[in-house]
Amino acid sequence: MRQRAARDQQRLGSGAVTSPKDLESLQREITSLAKRQGDLEDVVLEVMERRESAQERVTELSDRVSAVQAKADDATARRDAATKELDEETATVTKERELVAGSVPADLLKLYDKLRVQQGGVGAARLYQRRCEGCRLELNITEVNDVKAASPDTVLRCENCRRILVRTAESGL
Ligand SMILES: [Zn+2]
């Protein structure tokens, strides 16, 4: 289009076109070409602006994706660390339990395991100030007297929840 406008301009300037009608028509064509060129330049500008704004949006979304990815990576790392910690704790507790279980008489261990299953994971409870810490009930005076009279080797049971009662210095006896 530019070439055509330049050619028209050249013809106009060369003096080759002499008829007023041709001159007028040539001039009109030059004007029309100039207008179309202006319109096309506006379109190009608009496309460039839209491209720029799309590019900005792409950058913004990429940043957000990176931020979310970083958060996900962080959460995964913390989960893995927590899992590792729990695994180690489980291993330690399991080892400790094995050691303790090895020192408990077989029949008592069997009773404890049975009660543990029946009583939601707690087979033995501390007797604390005359109260069973398994079921939270206070022993009545008869029960307290029975506990007092029992030898240290006797395996005591809570009359209410049937858990093994463990006597300590704080049992309130
Ligand atoms: Zn109890």
Side-chain angles (χ1 to χ4, degrees):
M1 209 176 63
R2 273 203 199 94
Q3 279 172 3
R4 190 165 162 194
R7 205 178 59 225
D8 285 351
Q9 198 68 54
Q10 205 180 6
R11 278 177 71 202
L12 196 65
S14 70
V17 182
T18 48
S19 134
K21 203 180 150 204
D22 288 349
L23 281 173
E24 198 192 316
S25 141
L26 205 53
Q27 189 61 58
R28 239 196 336 264
E29 190 174 302
I30 288 170
T31 309
S32 147
L33 283 172
K35 187 181 177 300
R36 276 178 60 197
Q37 188 176 343
D39 290 349
L40 282 175
E41 279 169 1
D42 287 349
V43 169
V44 169
L45 264 180
E46 196 194 316
V47 167
M48 280 168 70
E49 276 168 14
R50 281 170 57 190
R51 186 175 175 274
E52 205 169 298
S53 105
Q55 191 57 54
E56 276 169 18
R57 185 95 178 111
V58 166
T59 306
E60 187 192 317
L61 289 175
S62 301
D63 287 352
R64 278 170 60 189
V65 167
S66 302
V68 168
Q69 188 59 52
K71 272 188 189 168
D73 289 348
D74 183 52
T76 304
R78 279 187 291 137
R79 184 206 59 194
D80 290 348
T83 304
K84 190 169 168 259
E85 213 169 285
L86 284 175
D87 286 348
E88 285 167 3
E89 204 179 318
T90 303
T92 305
V93 171
T94 304
K95 204 181 268 178
E96 280 172 9
R97 190 189 183 281
E98 276 167 14
L99 281 176
V100 172
S103 69
V104 174
D107 53 346
L108 181 55
L109 191 63
K110 204 175 152 191
L111 173 67
Y112 168 77
D113 281 336
K114 193 182 83 179
L115 288 169
R116 193 163 65 97
V117 172
Q118 287 171 355
Q119 302 290 348
V122 182
R126 183 168 69 147
L127 180 62
Y128 182 74
Q129 292 180 356
R130 303 188 174 192
R131 194 180 292 275
C132 164
E133 289 201 317
C135 65
R136 299 269 159 209
L137 270 193
E138 194 172 337
L139 273 60
N140 65 37
I141 191 68
T142 313
E143 289 162 354
V144 170
N145 286 334
D146 287 349
V147 170
K148 276 181 183 173
S151 82
D153 294 343
T154 308
V155 175
L156 299 172
R157 307 276 297 275
C158 171
E159 292 297 326
N160 181 55
C161 69
R162 304 304 298 151
R163 287 187 178 94
I164 296 164
L165 276 180
V166 180
R167 282 166 285 183
T168 73
E170 294 169 318
S171 291
L173 300 171

